[in-house]
């Protein structure tokens, strides 16, 4: 009987359907999972991915708003932000990163991904400042140092190209 029990089997099947490109089937199972456990954060994340793959703008926006309101897990927020950035939704991605940092001001992955998004938007100064802030709060994360150096090099390269 569909719609009864624990959400995990539905989420697992949906994840398989997503990887196989069977997005509508994944959406059906994820909606079943949501009926069983309305606040399951992972089902929301996968639902966002499925709607991004189907390019259903109305549903994408609906799920983004739900995630922003309901999810208090910085890891899921950053994963969702990265997913949104990959699919050409930089403003919504930035909102997810900022929300993650509201929940955990020193969450390194949020600073890393936010800086990468700025870099991909050719906003190298903002990327560098973001990584520097992340490094100040997470001095043990070596990726910040590498990315700061890469950001400085790209900033110089693009400055020379535009002259």
């Amino acid at each position: 009987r569909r719609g009864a029990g624990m959400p995990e089997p539905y989420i697992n099947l949906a994840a398989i359907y997503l990887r196989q490109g069977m997005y509508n089937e994944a959406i059906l199972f994820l909606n079943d999972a949501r009926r069983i456990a309305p606040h399951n954060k992972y089902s929301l994340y996968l639902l966002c991915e499925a709607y991004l793959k189907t390019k259903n703008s109305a549903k994408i926006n609906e799920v983004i708003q739900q995630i922003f309101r309901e999810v208090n897990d910085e890891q899921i927020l950053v994963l969702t932000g990265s997913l949104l950035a990959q699919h050409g939704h930089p403003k919504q991605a930035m909102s997810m990163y900022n929300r993650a940092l509201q929940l955990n001001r020193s969450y390194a992955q949020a600073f890393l991904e936010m800086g990468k998004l700025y870099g991909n938007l050719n906003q190298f100064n903002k990327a560098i400042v973001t990584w520097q802030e992340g490094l100040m709060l997470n001095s043990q994360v070596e990726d910040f140092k590498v990315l700061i150096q890469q950001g400085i090099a790209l900033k110089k390269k693009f400055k020379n190209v535009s002259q």
Side-chain angles (χ1 to χ4, degrees):
R1 189 180 118 206
R2 281 181 58 191
M6 301 297 290
E8 286 78 12
Y10 298 96
I11 294 169
N12 292 339
L13 284 169
I16 292 167
Y17 281 128
L18 268 174
R19 301 305 161 247
Q20 293 179 347
M22 301 170 73
Y23 307 125
N24 291 326
E25 290 83 352
I27 290 167
L28 289 174
F29 278 98
L30 289 166
N31 283 325
D32 283 344
R34 300 275 304 139
R35 277 190 282 284
I36 296 165
H39 301 290
N40 183 290
K41 58 193 173 195
Y42 191 61
S43 65
L44 270 175
Y45 167 76
L46 290 176
L47 204 51
C48 183
E49 182 178 357
Y51 286 133
L52 284 164
K53 300 275 186 177
T54 62
K55 298 181 179 10
N56 186 332
S57 297
K59 290 291 187 179
I60 292 167
N61 289 330
E62 184 182 309
V63 172
I64 289 170
Q65 289 173 10
Q66 259 185 310
I67 291 170
F68 198 79
R69 274 192 323 267
E70 296 177 19
V71 174
N72 289 318
D73 178 316
E74 60 269 17
Q75 183 180 12
I76 293 290
L77 290 165
V78 169
L79 286 171
T80 303
S82 297
L83 189 63
L84 290 165
Q86 290 169 10
H87 284 86
H89 298 272
K91 287 182 183 176
Q92 292 93 334
M94 196 61 71
S95 293
M96 293 294 167
Y97 300 144
N98 281 318
R99 177 86 172 98
L101 289 171
Q102 285 175 350
L103 295 172
N104 180 349
R105 188 63 194 127
S106 64
Y107 190 55
Q109 199 61 40
F111 284 106
L112 289 168
E113 296 302 321
M114 183 184 285
K116 289 177 191 176
L117 179 56
Y118 280 131
N120 288 335
L121 296 171
N122 294 331
Q123 296 178 16
F124 301 114
N125 286 336
K126 286 183 178 181
I128 293 164
V129 167
T130 299
W131 292 325
Q132 287 171 334
E133 187 177 352
L135 180 61
M136 284 181 6
L137 296 168
N138 301 277
S139 59
Q140 76 286 3
V141 180
E142 291 295 317
D143 288 351
F144 286 120
K145 295 173 187 171
V146 172
L147 289 167
I148 290 166
Q149 292 308 313
Q150 288 176 351
I152 291 169
L154 284 168
K155 180 179 159 186
K156 288 178 185 174
K157 179 180 178 181
F158 279 89
K159 184 178 180 183
N160 291 336
V161 168
S162 64
Q163 290 180 346

